[in-house]
Coordinates of all heavy atoms in Angstrom, one line a residue:
D223 N 54.6 -68.6 13.5 CA 54.8 -69.4 12.4 C 53.5 -69.8 11.7 O 53.4 -69.8 10.5 CB 55.5 -70.8 12.9 CG 54.8 -71.6 13.9 OD1 53.8 -71.0 14.5 OD2 55.1 -72.7 14.1
D224 N 52.4 -70.0 12.4 CA 51.2 -70.5 11.8 C 50.0 -70.0 12.5 O 48.9 -70.4 12.2 CB 51.2 -72.1 11.8 CG 51.2 -72.6 13.1 OD1 51.2 -71.8 14.2 OD2 51.4 -73.8 13.3
G225 N 50.1 -69.0 13.4 CA 49.1 -68.5 14.1 C 48.7 -69.3 15.3 O 48.0 -68.8 16.3
Q226 N 49.2 -70.5 15.5 CA 49.0 -71.3 16.7 C 50.0 -70.9 17.8 O 49.7 -71.0 19.0 CB 49.1 -72.8 16.5 CG 47.9 -73.2 15.6 CD 48.0 -74.8 15.3 OE1 48.6 -75.4 16.0 NE2 47.3 -75.1 14.3
H227 N 51.2 -70.6 17.4 CA 52.2 -70.3 18.4 C 52.7 -68.8 18.2 O 52.8 -68.5 17.0 CB 53.5 -71.2 18.1 CG 53.2 -72.6 18.3 ND1 52.9 -73.3 17.2 CD2 53.2 -73.5 19.4 CE1 52.7 -74.6 17.5 NE2 52.9 -74.6 18.9
V228 N 52.7 -68.1 19.3 CA 53.1 -66.7 19.2 C 54.0 -66.3 20.2 O 54.1 -66.9 21.3 CB 51.8 -65.7 19.4 CG1 52.1 -64.3 19.3 CG2 50.7 -66.0 18.3
A229 N 55.0 -65.5 19.8 CA 56.1 -64.9 20.8 C 55.9 -63.4 20.6 O 55.7 -62.8 19.7 CB 57.4 -65.5 20.5
S230 N 56.3 -62.8 21.8 CA 56.3 -61.2 21.8 C 57.7 -60.8 22.1 O 58.5 -61.5 22.8 CB 55.3 -60.6 22.8 OG 55.4 -61.3 24.1
I231 N 58.1 -59.7 21.5 CA 59.5 -59.3 21.6 C 59.6 -57.9 21.8 O 58.8 -57.0 21.2 CB 60.3 -59.5 20.3 CG1 60.2 -61.1 20.0 CG2 61.6 -59.0 20.3 CD1 60.8 -61.5 18.7
Q232 N 60.4 -57.5 22.8 CA 60.7 -56.1 23.1 C 62.1 -55.8 22.6 O 63.0 -56.5 23.0 CB 60.7 -55.8 24.6 CG 61.1 -54.5 25.1 CD 60.1 -53.3 24.7 OE1 58.9 -53.6 24.5 NE2 60.5 -52.1 24.5
V233 N 62.3 -54.9 21.6 CA 63.5 -54.6 21.0 C 64.2 -53.3 21.7 O 63.4 -52.3 21.8 CB 63.5 -54.4 19.4 CG1 64.8 -54.1 18.9 CG2 62.9 -55.6 18.8
K234 N 65.4 -53.4 22.1 CA 66.1 -52.3 22.6 C 67.3 -52.2 21.7 O 68.1 -53.1 21.7 CB 66.5 -52.5 24.1 CG 65.3 -52.7 25.0 CD 64.6 -51.3 25.1 CE 63.5 -51.5 26.2 NZ 62.7 -50.3 26.4
A235 N 67.5 -51.0 21.2 CA 68.7 -50.7 20.3 C 69.3 -49.5 20.8 O 68.8 -48.5 21.3 CB 68.1 -50.4 18.8
S236 N 70.7 -49.6 20.6 CA 71.5 -48.4 20.8 C 72.6 -48.3 19.9 O 72.9 -49.3 19.2 CB 72.1 -48.6 22.4 OG 73.0 -49.7 22.3
Q237 N 73.2 -47.3 19.8 CA 74.3 -47.0 18.8 C 75.6 -47.1 19.6 O 76.0 -46.1 20.2 CB 74.2 -45.7 18.1 CG 75.1 -45.6 16.9 CD 74.7 -44.5 15.9 OE1 74.2 -43.4 16.5 NE2 74.7 -44.7 14.7
G238 N 76.2 -48.2 19.4 CA 77.4 -48.6 20.2 C 78.6 -47.8 19.8 O 78.9 -47.6 18.6
K239 N 79.3 -47.4 20.8 CA 80.7 -46.7 20.6 C 81.7 -47.6 21.3 O 82.8 -47.8 20.8 CB 80.6 -45.3 21.1 CG 79.7 -44.4 20.5 CD 79.6 -43.0 21.2 CE 78.5 -42.3 20.7 NZ 78.3 -41.0 21.4
T240 N 81.4 -47.9 22.5 CA 82.5 -48.6 23.4 C 81.7 -49.6 24.3 O 80.5 -49.8 24.2 CB 83.2 -47.6 24.3 OG1 82.1 -47.0 25.1 CG2 83.9 -46.5 23.5
Q241 N 82.5 -50.2 25.1 CA 82.0 -51.1 26.1 C 81.7 -50.4 27.3 O 82.2 -49.2 27.5 CB 83.0 -52.3 26.4 CG 83.5 -53.0 25.2 CD 82.3 -53.9 24.5 OE1 81.2 -53.9 25.0 NE2 82.6 -54.4 23.5
P242 N 80.9 -50.6 28.3 CA 80.1 -51.9 28.3 C 78.8 -51.7 27.4 O 78.4 -50.6 27.3 CB 79.8 -52.1 29.7 CG 79.7 -50.7 30.3 CD 80.7 -49.9 29.6
R243 N 78.4 -52.9 27.0 CA 77.1 -52.8 26.2 C 76.0 -52.9 27.2 O 75.9 -53.8 28.0 CB 77.1 -53.8 25.2 CG 78.2 -53.6 24.1 CD 78.4 -54.9 23.4 NE 79.2 -55.7 24.2 CZ 79.6 -57.0 23.8 NH1 79.4 -57.4 22.5 NH2 80.3 -57.7 24.6
Q244 N 75.2 -51.9 27.2 CA 74.1 -51.8 28.2 C 72.9 -51.1 27.6 O 73.1 -50.2 26.7 CB 74.5 -51.3 29.5 CG 75.0 -49.9 29.4 CD 75.6 -49.3 30.7 OE1 75.9 -50.1 31.6 NE2 75.9 -48.1 30.7
W245 N 71.7 -51.4 28.1 CA 70.4 -50.9 27.6 C 69.5 -50.6 28.6 O 69.4 -51.3 29.6 CB 69.7 -51.9 26.6 CG 70.5 -52.1 25.4 CD1 70.3 -51.5 24.1 CD2 71.5 -53.0 25.2 NE1 71.3 -52.0 23.2 CE2 72.0 -53.0 23.8 CE3 72.2 -54.1 26.0 CZ2 73.0 -53.7 23.2 CZ3 73.2 -54.8 25.5 CH2 73.5 -54.7 24.1
I246 N 68.9 -49.3 28.5 CA 67.9 -49.0 29.5 C 66.6 -49.9 29.3 O 66.1 -50.0 28.0 CB 67.4 -47.6 29.4 CG1 68.7 -46.7 29.7 CG2 66.3 -47.2 30.3 CD1 68.5 -45.2 29.3
V247 N 66.0 -50.6 30.3 CA 64.9 -51.5 30.0 C 63.6 -50.9 30.5 O 62.5 -51.6 30.5 CB 65.2 -52.8 30.6 CG1 66.2 -53.6 29.8 CG2 65.5 -52.7 32.1
G248 N 63.6 -49.7 31.1 CA 62.3 -49.2 31.6 C 62.2 -49.4 33.2 O 63.0 -50.0 33.7
K249 N 61.2 -48.8 33.7 CA 61.1 -48.8 35.1 C 60.3 -50.1 35.7 O 60.5 -50.5 36.9 CB 60.3 -47.6 35.6 CG 61.1 -46.4 35.5 CD 62.0 -46.1 36.6 CE 62.7 -44.8 36.5 NZ 63.9 -44.7 37.4
N250 N 59.5 -50.8 34.8 CA 58.8 -51.8 35.4 C 59.3 -53.1 34.9 O 59.8 -53.4 33.8 CB 57.3 -51.7 34.7 CG 56.6 -50.4 35.1 OD1 56.7 -49.9 36.2 ND2 56.1 -49.7 34.1
Q251 N 59.3 -54.0 35.9 CA 59.7 -55.4 35.7 C 58.8 -56.1 34.7 O 57.5 -55.9 34.8 CB 59.8 -56.2 37.0 CG 60.8 -55.8 37.9 CD 60.8 -56.8 39.1 OE1 60.6 -58.0 38.9 NE2 61.2 -56.3 40.3
P252 N 59.3 -56.9 33.8 CA 58.5 -57.6 32.8 C 57.8 -58.8 33.6 O 58.2 -59.2 34.6 CB 59.5 -58.1 31.8 CG 60.8 -58.2 32.5 CD 60.8 -57.2 33.6
R253 N 56.6 -59.1 32.9 CA 56.0 -60.3 33.4 C 56.7 -61.4 32.6 O 56.4 -61.6 31.4 CB 54.6 -60.3 33.1 CG 53.8 -59.4 34.0 CD 52.3 -59.4 33.8 NE 51.6 -58.5 34.7 CZ 50.4 -58.4 34.7 NH1 49.6 -59.0 33.9 NH2 49.8 -57.5 35.5
A254 N 57.5 -62.1 33.2 CA 58.3 -63.2 32.6 C 57.5 -64.3 32.0 O 56.4 -64.7 32.6 CB 59.4 -63.8 33.5

């Protein structure tokens, strides 16, 4: 917002056809 606060985002997109909605997140656990 002003350079003092920062957030990082990983975007995962898929082209949905049916359920279930799921995304591959990679092999490595994120550092929460």
Side-chain angles (χ1 to χ4, degrees):
D223 58 344
D224 59 5
Q226 293 182 19
H227 303 94
V228 176
S230 52
I231 297 170
Q232 175 70 26
V233 178
K234 298 291 185 183
S236 64
Q237 193 164 37
K239 300 175 190 173
T240 61
Q241 304 295 354
R243 290 164 289 182
Q244 58 189 11
W245 293 264
I246 298 171
V247 291
K249 293 277 185 195
N250 301 315
Q251 288 186 34
R253 291 187 179 176

